[in-house]
Amino acid sequence: AERDRADRQRQEAAERLRESEAKYRQLFESMSEGFGVGEAVYDDQGRVVDLRFVEFNGSFERQSGLRGDQLVG
């Protein structure tokens, strides 16, 4: 009984997390402001030599003039 309750609580928490992620994903994709998350790329001397985007919305692509395939990687 205790294990069943713990399993049920984990399943409910996972469902709430999925719902929350879907809600914020929809907000992220539908906002008119461009938004991107990037990571600095460093050379052997520790200098920033590039920026790699790991997440961005469609507005970011439109406003920057860059396509997703140009931003990723």
Side-chain angles (χ1 to χ4, degrees):
E2 184 68 27
R3 177 178 240 166
D4 290 340
R5 186 168 60 93
D7 286 344
R8 191 170 48 256
Q9 287 175 335
R10 274 193 293 281
Q11 290 172 350
E12 290 170 357
E15 180 60 27
R16 286 192 304 272
L17 179 60
R18 279 191 293 278
E19 289 170 0
S20 177
E21 288 173 341
K23 174 179 149 183
Y24 285 101
R25 169 61 53 190
Q26 198 247 339
L27 172 65
F28 180 73
E29 292 299 329
S30 66
M31 59 192 251
S32 59
E33 294 83 6
F35 185 85
V37 176
E39 295 177 340
V41 177
Y42 299 91
D43 67 10
D44 293 338
Q45 285 75 43
R47 295 178 297 217
V48 176
V49 294
D50 204 352
L51 181 63
R52 175 181 28 244
F53 285 94
V54 294
E55 192 76 33
F56 50 88
N57 64 5
S59 293
F60 186 88
E61 288 182 273
R62 287 187 296 282
Q63 293 168 6
S64 70
L66 300 171
R67 296 183 323 265
D69 63 335
Q70 295 171 305
L71 293 167
V72 176

